[in-house]
Amino acid sequence: SQSTGPVAFAGCLMSAQWIPAGLRAEVRSRARGCCEYCGVHEDDVGAPHEADHIVAEQHGGQTTTENLAYACYHCNRYKGTNLASIDPESGQPVFLFQPRRDTWASHFQIDGALILGLTAIGRTTSALLKFNAPERLESRRLLILAQRYPC
């Protein structure tokens, strides 16, 4: 029988459904190799980007192009199976940015190496995915100097 929920592998939570290579390639192509959350290109980070379930399987999300986003290692790990988090400004629960539904520029703005949240969705996603953690800021600063960011 086929597993229908997430499984643990080497201490990590993994999708129970294997994402076929053709579907992963379609998701990568649509994103032009860029993380659809923070905007870093896969050639500029140490781990390959991944097809992320926008709505996790445990919440009924399907393994389809409409429910997959191309995500860097950091964004995918910090997002996990979350659909929402707490807006750091209002203290209210807010749904996260969804690349198939939302427009990046409506919720975020790049200011140097910083990624600023312009809306509750932007602030909440930026906080949960730790867009402006010191090591991520430093990485983006170097990419900006090399004219490799934003993607």
Side-chain angles (χ1 to χ4, degrees):
S1 79
Q2 183 175 344
S3 177
T4 58
V7 295
F9 177 74
C12 297
L13 193 61
M14 306 281 291
S15 171
Q17 177 159 347
W18 178 253
I19 300 172
L23 184 54
R24 283 194 318 273
E26 184 178 340
V27 171
R28 180 195 181 283
S29 176
R30 178 181 59 206
R32 299 174 328 277
C34 301
C35 176
E36 294 186 76
Y37 296 103
C38 74
V40 69
H41 195 276
E42 65 186 344
D43 291 344
D44 296 322
V45 293
H49 284 11
E50 304 162 335
D52 164 58
H53 285 87
I54 297 167
V55 176
E57 292 169 298
Q58 78 178 47
H59 298 299
Q62 301 296 306
T63 303
T64 62
T65 57
E66 297 79 25
N67 189 45
L68 292 172
Y70 210 49
C72 71
Y73 175 87
H74 293 291
C75 286
N76 199 13
R77 292 308 174 281
Y78 289 131
K79 180 182 168 289
T81 61
N82 291 301
L83 299 174
S85 189
I86 302 300
D87 176 6
E89 186 175 298
S90 72
Q92 297 299 308
V94 174
F95 283 109
L96 298 175
F97 174 76
Q98 289 192 15
R100 301 285 74 74
R101 177 191 71 197
D102 302 321
T103 304
W104 200 90
S106 297
H107 297 285
F108 306 100
Q109 178 181 341
I110 295 172
D111 181 9
L114 289 169
I115 299 174
L116 305 175
L118 302 175
T119 64
I121 288 172
R123 289 187 303 269
T124 302
T125 302
S126 180
L128 183 71
L129 275 59
K130 302 185 187 310
F131 285 166
N132 297 313
E135 66 278 4
R136 296 185 83 184
L137 284 173
E138 183 59 24
S139 176
R140 284 197 299 273
R141 280 189 196 101
L142 295 172
L143 291 171
I144 289 166
L145 288 173
Q147 299 182 342
R148 305 238 352 126
Y149 186 86
C151 199

